[in-house]
Amino acid sequence: MEALASTSTAARRPQRRLRERLLGENPTAWAFIAPAVVIILGLTIVPVIWSLLLSFRSSDLISPSHSVGLANYKALVHDKALGAAVRHTLIFTVLFVPLSIVAGLGLALALDRRIRLIGLYRTLILVPFIVATAVQGVLFSFIFDQRFGVANSILHRLGIPSQGFLDDPSQALYIIILIALWGSIGFCVIIYLAALQDVPKELKEAAAVDGASRWGVLWHVTIPQLAPITVFLVVWQTLTALQLFDLVYATTRGGPLESTVVIVYYIYLQAFQLFHAGYAAAIAYVVALVLIGLSAMQIVYRRWRVAHP
Amino acid sequence: MSIRRPRISPWHLALAPIAILFGLPFAWMLISSFMSTAQINRFPPTIIPSSFHLEGWETVLGGAEFPRWFLNSTIVAVVTVISNLVFCSMAGYAFARLKFRGSTVVFLLILATLIIPFQITMIPTFIVMHDLHLSDTLGALIVPNLVTPFGVFLMRQFFLNLPIEVEEAARIDGCSRLGVLLHVAMPLAKPALATLAALTFLVSWNELFWPLIVINTDSNFTLPVGLTTFQGAHSVDWPAVMAGNVLTALPVVVAFLLTQRTFIASLTSSAVKG
């Protein structure tokens, strides 16, 4: 039995050699990458082109579409509702990005020390980030509920009149920013904490020996050393902010009085509620170009950093 | 003889209140899931209840919806995690170790998809799922996420950094490429596989946007979609909504607390390598 098995492998081995000589490792390699190629390229590269074609057509997702030329792109320039969505998205971005990064850096610097309970503090600050945005949104819908919420209860005890919060068109967007900050500062904190471990101790010590104060070391050594991470976070948080959807859906669904409709929420409405798929694709394409541009800038910056250390 | 007094760092004065501020909403979520609607409907609302009630949990666990959504979320997450571990390893290994025509082009294309935002691919993906008769099934939630570009990239980087000598020894002993991957490379790649599993689970469990688009039938919802729908329909039954919220958050929080290092590694990997 053993002898039989060994002769058969011996017979197979030259066969494999021959195949490898002719084809190299091509068949094995393509078998290995086939699932990734089919799924990733099939459901990303193909849809990217498909979307572009769709943006020049009128389509309701189900019945056959027809060409409309540049009409979708012309329409989006004059769409007042889209203009409002862009404005809401920009307000969100302009407040969310710097606040989350500054708070994240401040907290990371405070948490970067060996004291008791530090692990607990880090965990508590990070946990909001890992739970689903749907959970965050539903939880804060309750906390900021006009009648039953704990927020108004606290204001009541302080003698401040009840607020509308998510039901007030002038407050809702800012409440959403507050919830988003609670949910994502933890991410900035752990990224900065990881980066702080890589700041060379010798640099800080050398600055201290040269008579720099603690603030001096922080301002002239630590923060410049963190620059690549700050650039990464600015881009990452901006991409997150421009693509805001989940939190709006889980809290206000765009209301009250459409005061929290943001760009991606508007695309969702156009594509899957109003079935203007061609128009939605056109808006998505314009937004995507901005997002891809931002990512590309980050990549170029990284390359440049590596070339000019 | 000197007496050592434990010195309490002044940093606690700043850090403790901030940490409590981050944790307090969760405490409130848990407490209110054990309140009665009468306790919540009082004005001003109760903050610390005098008695605990199980009505909210009975609605959530006794009904048909939440257990079903929990099961759906679990199926989608488990299948997605396993398939990512297998397919990302295979592709990552091929790009790291095998020489084949077109490898650079295909790898760069996969890498490029990392910066393609979901908004431009979602409409065609929806149509593809519809044509494959997968829309409104769990399959539509699994298929697009069977293998992710980030996972392929992560595994390739890891395999590139493994010493090649062990693999060569196995090759000389007549082991096939698949054998080397399964018996030599993957056992060495446990840290990378853990990172990939944690990240894939997190993303899959928390996903709201895509399931919202592609699933219509209640019984096929995952927890995030179910939860937001349930809240829309039962906005006065806050104890039940909060119980459902706890149920949705719990698996991720427990997994995080048990394997904090792995989770943190997977979150920071996006910054360091992505």
Side-chain angles (χ1 to χ4, degrees):
Chain A
M1 200 58 203
E2 236 167 58
L4 223 149
S6 72
T7 47
S8 77
T9 40
R12 224 182 294 139
R13 215 171 277 162
Q15 236 177 26
R16 203 177 75 194
R17 292 270 156 76
L18 182 70
R19 204 188 64 192
E20 271 178 20
R21 255 213 319 270
L22 288 175
L23 297 168
E25 287 189 310
N26 281 319
T28 322
W30 280 94
F32 274 30
I33 64 167
V37 169
V38 171
I39 299 291
I40 298 174
L41 302 189
L43 289 177
T44 306
I45 301 287
V46 172
V48 164
I49 299 158
W50 191 339
S51 247
L52 183 64
L53 300 177
L54 199 62
S55 73
F56 298 111
R57 306 183 75 81
S58 171
S59 158
D60 64 357
L61 288 173
I62 295 139
S63 38
S65 59
H66 61 271
S67 175
V68 293
L70 284 170
N72 288 327
Y73 287 95
K74 281 179 187 149
L76 71 83
V77 179
H78 302 290
D79 186 342
K80 286 216 174 83
L82 176 62
V86 170
R87 204 164 52 244
H88 300 150
T89 310
L90 290 180
I91 294 173
F92 181 91
T93 308
V94 162
L95 289 170
F96 171 80
V97 176
L99 287 174
S100 66
I101 290 172
V102 169
L105 177 60
L107 276 173
L109 289 168
L111 287 166
D112 186 27
R113 60 197 71 247
R114 292 174 182 278
I115 54 173
R116 227 172 293 169
L117 296 176
I118 200 78
L120 179 68
Y121 295 156
R122 287 181 190 169
T123 304
L124 281 170
I125 290 169
L126 185 55
V127 165
F129 176 71
I130 59 139
V131 301
T133 317
V135 169
Q136 302 172 8
V138 169
L139 171 55
F140 278 94
S141 300
F142 177 44
I143 286 174
F144 287 115
D145 188 275
Q146 220 177 330
R147 284 187 299 159
F148 311 127
V150 74
N152 264 335
S153 166
I154 292 168
L155 292 186
H156 181 80
R157 264 155 234 238
L158 298 173
I160 299 167
S162 283
Q163 301 294 310
F165 296 124
L166 292 165
D167 291 327
D168 182 336
S170 65
Q171 293 176 359
L173 186 61
Y174 299 95
I175 297 292
I176 290 178
I177 294 172
L178 214 60
I179 305 169
L181 285 172
W182 174 81
S184 66
I185 284 175
F187 177 69
C188 299
V189 170
I190 58 154
I191 298 292
Y192 270 130
L193 265 177
L196 278 170
Q197 314 313 311
D198 296 338
V199 175
K201 275 219 177 73
E202 305 78 53
L203 275 181
K204 287 196 250 179
E205 279 159 9
V209 168
D210 289 351
S213 65
R214 269 196 199 181
W215 283 107
V217 174
L218 177 66
W219 196 247
H220 297 291
V221 179
T222 310
I223 291 179
Q225 284 285 314
L226 294 173
I229 290 299
T230 304
V231 171
F232 162 80
L233 278 175
V234 168
V235 173
W236 186 273
Q237 293 295 83
T238 307
L239 294 177
T240 309
L242 294 177
Q243 297 185 83
L244 176 70
F245 175 86
D246 288 13
L247 197 54
V248 168
Y249 186 84
T251 51
T252 59
R253 310 229 165 140
L257 298 176
E258 287 164 9
S259 61
T260 57
V261 173
V262 286
I263 299 174
V264 175
Y265 196 83
Y266 191 71
I267 296 173
Y268 163 78
L269 287 179
Q270 287 292 338
F272 300 105
Q273 302 292 312
L274 304 167
F275 301 105
H276 301 155
Y279 185 49
I283 304 172
Y285 236 89
V286 175
V287 176
L289 288 179
V290 174
L291 299 176
I292 292 170
L294 274 170
S295 302
M297 273 164 56
Q298 145 86 1
I299 293 166
V300 170
Y301 168 79
R302 195 173 279 226
R303 284 274 160 97
W304 179 82
R305 269 301 286 206
V306 172
H308 305 82
Chain B
M1 229 175 82
S2 65
I3 300 164
R4 270 202 192 160
R5 275 202 206 133
R7 225 172 65 85
I8 293 171
S9 164
W11 283 99
H12 287 292
L13 290 175
L15 287 172
I18 294 171
I20 290 170
L21 200 66
F22 276 85
L24 216 51
F26 290 119
W28 181 239
M29 169 167 91
L30 196 62
I31 291 170
S32 51
S33 76
F34 288 104
M35 286 201 218
S36 68
T37 33
Q39 281 172 321
I40 281 175
N41 287 357
R42 214 167 287 152
F43 192 88
T46 347
I47 290 180
I48 306 294
S50 52
S51 57
F52 282 83
H53 300 263
L54 290 172
E55 285 108 276
W57 282 97
E58 277 163 12
T59 310
V60 162
L61 296 178
E65 295 165 313
F66 270 98
R68 176 78 217 187
W69 298 337
F70 194 93
L71 180 69
N72 291 345
S73 278
T74 309
I75 293 170
V76 173
V78 168
V79 176
T80 310
V81 167
I82 293 173
S83 75
N84 266 279
L85 293 180
V86 175
F87 295 145
C88 295
S89 297
M90 282 167 56
Y93 184 78
F95 288 124
R97 288 283 191 255
L98 305 186
K99 288 183 183 70
F100 60 101
R101 235 166 283 146
S103 75
T104 316
V105 176
V106 177
F107 181 68
L108 285 179
L109 269 177
I110 289 178
L111 210 56
T113 63
L114 273 172
I115 63 168
I116 306 280
F118 177 59
Q119 295 86 263
I120 46 170
T121 60
M122 68 181 181
I123 298 171
T125 307
F126 176 84
I127 300 172
V128 171
M129 290 302 133
H130 181 82
D131 292 346
L132 292 174
H133 302 286
L134 281 175
S135 63
D136 205 15
T137 70
L138 296 186
L141 306 181
I142 294 169
V143 171
N145 297 318
L146 279 173
V147 40
T148 47
F150 182 70
V152 174
F153 180 67
L154 189 79
M155 294 315 295
R156 174 184 171 268
Q157 291 302 97
F158 194 87
F159 288 133
L160 275 178
N161 292 326
L162 279 183
I164 202 162
E165 290 78 18
V166 198
E167 289 174 45
E168 276 171 349
R171 289 281 292 160
I172 289 163
D173 289 347
C175 205
S176 69
R177 281 293 187 184
L178 189 65
V180 173
L181 174 61
L182 285 178
H183 303 298
V184 182
M186 280 179 77
L188 290 171
K190 271 180 196 150
L193 292 171
T195 303
L196 180 60
L199 197 65
T200 310
F201 170 71
L202 198 65
V203 172
S204 170
W205 191 270
N206 290 348
E207 193 170 34
L208 173 68
F209 197 16
W210 175 240
L212 188 71
I213 292 168
V214 82
I215 304 288
N216 296 314
T217 314
D218 279 28
S219 60
N220 289 334
F221 283 170
T222 51
L223 279 169
V225 188
L227 178 70
T228 49
T229 311
F230 185 82
Q231 189 225 340
H234 301 79
S235 59
V236 283
D237 192 358
W238 281 114
V241 174
M242 285 304 118
N245 219 359
V246 173
L247 190 70
T248 309
L250 208 58
V252 163
V253 174
V254 170
F256 172 73
L257 293 179
L258 290 178
T259 55
Q260 232 181 96
R261 253 167 231 278
T262 306
F263 265 94
I264 289 178
S266 66
L267 294 175
T268 46
S269 65
S270 61
V272 184
K273 293 163 192 143

